[in-house]
Amino acid sequence: MTTRLHSLRNRFLLSLCGVLCLALLALVLVARYQIMPILLEDEESFAGAELDRAERALDSELNHMRRLVEDWAYWDDSYDFVSGKRPEYVDSNLYEDTLETLALEMMLFLDADLEAHWVVGFDAEGEFTSCPGVEAPCDWATPAVAFLGRHIERKPDDATDTWLLSRAELGMAALSPIHQSREESSAAGWLAMVRPLDASWIEQLRDTTGIQLELTPVTEQEGPVQQLERISPTHMAAHRLISALPPGRAVRIEAVLPRQRYQASLETFRFALYWTGGVLIVTLLIVLWLLERMVLLPLRQFTHYTQRLHHEAVAPDMPDRLVTRRDEIGTLSREFRSLLEHQNRQSEQLRELSQHDPLTGVANRRLFDERFAQALSRPGPTPRAAAMMIDIDHFKLYNDHYGHQAGDACLITLAQRMDQMLSAHGFLLARTGGEEFSVLLPGTSLEAALAHAEALLRAVDELNLPHEISPTRSSVTVSIGVAAHRADLSTPYDIMRAADQAMYQAKTEGRNRVEAYRVGEPLSPLER
């Protein structure tokens, strides 16, 4: 037993097995007490952000209701109608198709005394009614008239109000004073609109937000406004209450969200755990094998091999402490250092040639694509990156007039000036075509990228390189297109395609300018 314990192989085996167990135990503890809480907290932040997005969508719909009711309330015909001057207003505007077109359930006109001037809408049975006041068959609107009267009396101003309605069916309402559009005058009355939030509207909201959500009318209760429930390993349910009318009621937003980020992070950590264990085991086996083979014969074989390599190349000077060694280790050290330095020099030269443009000295497309992919894959808050496409205006005319040597000199001058400006901000300039350059702006928003592009445009103008036959101006100019990462531009190809399209737009608009790819513009192919 003692002999076995003294064996170097067994001692290495026991030591490495102990290291393996300690490493696995450390990973399990880190996962339990550090990684898991961070992942769960990140998941809660994600759920809150998704609920915020759903709530902003509701606010957007309420703003739409605000604009709709104000469009009608600040219409002179509505002012005259409530003032009793335009009786044909009802036949011209307040009919069933109007409500269906506007997706409204009710329109209620109040006069200056807060009495119902006209009611138009659908009653509880879905029948269309239109009445001067709340007499039958429009008596179903009596509670709404009473509520609006009380609310208007308590209002400190005559601003437009909007609400969510949490009744048996969901809805939203808006109330606005009726004014003349071009004259300063007191309100002639008030206009209220009610829109139902039916299943088709909620389905449209799902499509707009991309969230599987439900809106439910509930009683407002004490307790947390927002809750998160993990219903399965792959999904979670997030809830949030939003105050609504009538008092004591609320709208509950319930969103079923995927736990992809959590699962992906968990799988990544598990993979790291398995990989670490596998590497340690493989290392253990390799070390044991090397230990078995650690005799002079393999070392002499390796020495003979390195000496052969030495005769094929000039070895650099070595430190005295290695040169004076006469054993195999000294020889191995000298040969290894020689080969390593040689390989490093060759690798550095190849890397420099493969990543930079030989004419201008700036980066080429290969380096640009690598850095772009790295910028978009780097975790962190938005904006992730922006990009520019730069094209020298009328460069073919420049080459034809001044000659290709002058064209090369022009390219070098422009590249050096642009690189000097951009590199100061940590941006990457690359030559990606004959007279085309691309710029990568990591961590830069579209607005900031546009500012840099304008500065770049001015810098090129300040160079004042002569271009006598340019239709644009008498000096060399450039056209710049700018695009930035966003939800529908998530890959380098998409962003550069958008920037290229913006650059094409700059050329179409007269060249020597900066254009940005904006939301809503369809992408076109890169080739022009």
Side-chain angles (χ1 to χ4, degrees):
M1 177 65 67
T2 303
T3 303
R4 291 182 179 179
L5 290 178
H6 288 171
S7 170
L8 189 60
R9 180 184 62 182
N10 293 337
R11 290 167 63 185
F12 262 73
L13 177 60
L14 292 175
S15 300
L16 292 178
C17 286
V19 171
L20 176 62
C21 294
L22 290 175
L24 294 177
L25 178 60
L27 288 175
V28 171
L29 293 176
V30 169
R32 181 177 180 84
Y33 295 106
Q34 289 189 347
I35 302 300
M36 293 299 294
I38 293 174
L39 295 181
L40 294 176
E41 182 180 354
D42 177 71
E43 193 171 60
E44 292 177 359
S45 299
F46 168 71
E50 292 297 281
L51 289 176
D52 289 341
R53 201 152 59 86
E55 190 170 349
R56 287 196 296 271
L58 285 177
D59 291 340
S60 176
E61 291 297 325
L62 286 172
N63 288 333
H64 176 72
M65 279 290 293
R66 181 188 301 272
R67 292 191 296 270
L68 178 63
V69 74
E70 288 178 347
D71 285 344
W72 280 71
Y74 286 80
W75 184 23
D76 290 341
D77 287 0
S78 298
Y79 185 90
D80 294 341
F81 170 63
V82 176
S83 301
K85 300 178 183 178
R86 193 176 289 274
E88 71 275 8
Y89 183 89
V90 174
D91 294 334
S92 301
N93 302 287
L94 304 181
Y95 42 87
E96 184 174 0
D97 287 346
T98 300
L99 268 67
E100 291 178 350
T101 301
L102 299 177
L104 296 178
E105 184 181 88
M106 179 183 72
M107 293 178 66
L108 177 59
F109 293 83
L110 301 180
D111 57 23
D113 297 326
L114 306 184
E115 298 293 335
H117 181 74
W118 200 274
V119 176
V120 57
F122 298 95
D123 59 17
E125 286 74 30
E127 295 294 331
F128 176 77
T129 57
S130 179
C131 313
V134 290
E135 301 297 330
C138 293
D139 51 351
W140 53 270
T142 301
V145 174
F147 168 79
L148 292 175
R150 293 192 300 271
H151 178 77
I152 294 171
E153 289 176 349
R154 294 193 299 267
K155 277 175 62 65
D157 52 35
D158 61 351
T160 303
D161 290 335
T162 57
W163 309 280
L164 286 175
L165 302 179
S166 179
R167 307 166 297 181
E169 298 292 338
L170 290 173
M172 59 177 59
L175 173 68
S176 176
I178 300 176
H179 287 282
Q180 285 183 305
S181 62
R182 298 183 180 178
E183 298 182 13
E184 294 290 340
S185 62
S186 58
W190 296 78
L191 171 60
M193 293 181 175
V194 176
R195 170 177 291 174
L197 304 184
D198 53 17
S200 61
W201 183 90
I202 295 177
E203 184 62 31
Q204 183 180 358
L205 185 63
R206 293 193 194 104
D207 294 337
T208 301
T209 61
I211 304 173
Q212 290 299 318
L213 53 84
E214 293 288 345
L215 302 180
T216 309
V218 296
T219 303
E220 194 167 23
Q221 302 173 351
E222 295 185 358
V225 177
Q226 180 174 311
Q227 292 181 333
L228 179 64
E229 179 184 359
R230 295 172 177 85
I231 55 180
S232 72
T234 58
H235 289 84
M236 58 183 172
H239 310 267
R240 178 179 291 178
L241 294 182
I242 302 177
S243 298
L245 291 179
R249 300 285 296 177
V251 176
R252 184 175 72 175
I253 303 177
E254 179 178 352
V256 177
L257 303 172
R259 303 182 67 187
Q260 294 176 348
R261 296 170 57 169
Y262 171 80
Q263 291 293 336
S265 300
L266 190 60
E267 288 299 323
T268 300
F269 183 76
R270 287 175 178 171
F271 177 79
L273 182 65
Y274 299 150
W275 177 255
T276 302
V279 167
L280 289 176
I281 292 174
V282 171
T283 302
L284 173 65
L285 297 175
I286 293 175
V287 169
L288 291 175
W289 181 79
L290 290 176
L291 186 61
E292 288 289 333
R293 304 292 296 176
M294 281 172 49
V295 292
L296 290 176
L297 179 59
L299 185 58
R300 292 194 185 98
Q301 292 174 347
F302 184 76
T303 302
H304 177 68
Y305 170 73
T306 56
Q307 287 175 341
R308 288 171 51 199
L309 293 177
H310 174 70
H311 293 302
E312 299 174 5
V314 178
D317 295 333
M318 294 293 293
D320 291 338
R321 62 187 181 88
L322 292 178
V323 172
T324 56
R325 293 180 64 96
R326 299 301 179 183
D327 56 9
E328 294 84 359
I329 299 298
T331 305
L332 179 62
S333 298
R334 290 191 295 270
E335 299 303 325
F336 179 78
R337 177 64 62 87
S338 175
L339 292 175
L340 184 59
E341 291 177 353
H342 178 74
Q343 181 182 1
N344 288 341
R345 287 194 300 272
Q346 295 296 325
S347 299
E348 187 62 31
Q349 292 175 0
L350 290 175
R351 187 180 300 109
E352 184 70 19
L353 290 174
S354 65
Q355 294 183 342
H356 291 79
D357 177 57
L359 175 64
T360 62
V362 299
N364 60 12
R365 180 178 294 275
R366 177 180 179 182
L367 180 58
F368 182 85
D369 292 342
E370 291 176 358
R371 295 284 180 83
F372 210 154
Q374 293 172 3
L376 293 186
S377 64
R378 187 177 298 115
T382 55
R384 290 191 176 181
M388 299 181 197
M389 285 289 289
I390 305 171
D391 188 81
I392 303 176
D393 297 327
H394 308 295
F395 190 69
K396 184 177 185 304
L397 296 178
Y398 188 99
N399 273 336
D400 293 342
H401 182 71
Y402 293 102
H404 288 281
Q405 289 185 348
D408 290 347
C410 176
L411 286 173
I412 294 172
T413 302
L414 287 177
Q416 289 176 348
R417 179 58 179 144
M418 292 189 294
D419 188 60
Q420 180 185 7
M421 288 190 62
L422 296 169
S423 61
H425 301 281
F427 302 150
L428 178 67
L429 173 70
R431 184 187 179 196
T432 52
E435 67 270 16
E436 285 189 355
F437 295 85
S438 301
V439 182
L440 172 62
L441 302 89
T444 305
S445 64
L446 181 61
E447 290 74 17
L450 285 171
H452 287 293
E454 294 288 352
L456 204 62
L457 196 69
R458 292 192 297 270
V460 173
D461 288 342
E462 291 171 0
L463 288 175
N464 201 25
L465 298 175
H467 194 345
E468 299 174 352
I469 61 172
S470 171
T472 303
R473 59 182 300 177
S474 60
S475 61
V476 174
T477 61
V478 295
S479 298
I480 306 177
V482 184
H485 176 272
R486 65 187 198 208
D488 59 334
L489 300 177
S490 58
T491 67
Y493 175 80
D494 291 338
I495 297 174
M496 293 308 300
R497 185 170 54 158
D500 183 79
Q501 182 164 312
M503 183 189 72
Y504 179 71
Q505 182 66 25
K507 286 185 172 294
T508 304
E509 296 294 331
R511 305 176 189 264
N512 190 25
R513 66 181 61 241
V514 175
E515 293 290 339
Y517 180 79
R518 300 291 184 181
V519 177
E521 296 178 359
L523 284 174
S524 62
L526 275 173
E527 52 269 14
R528 302 188 299 278

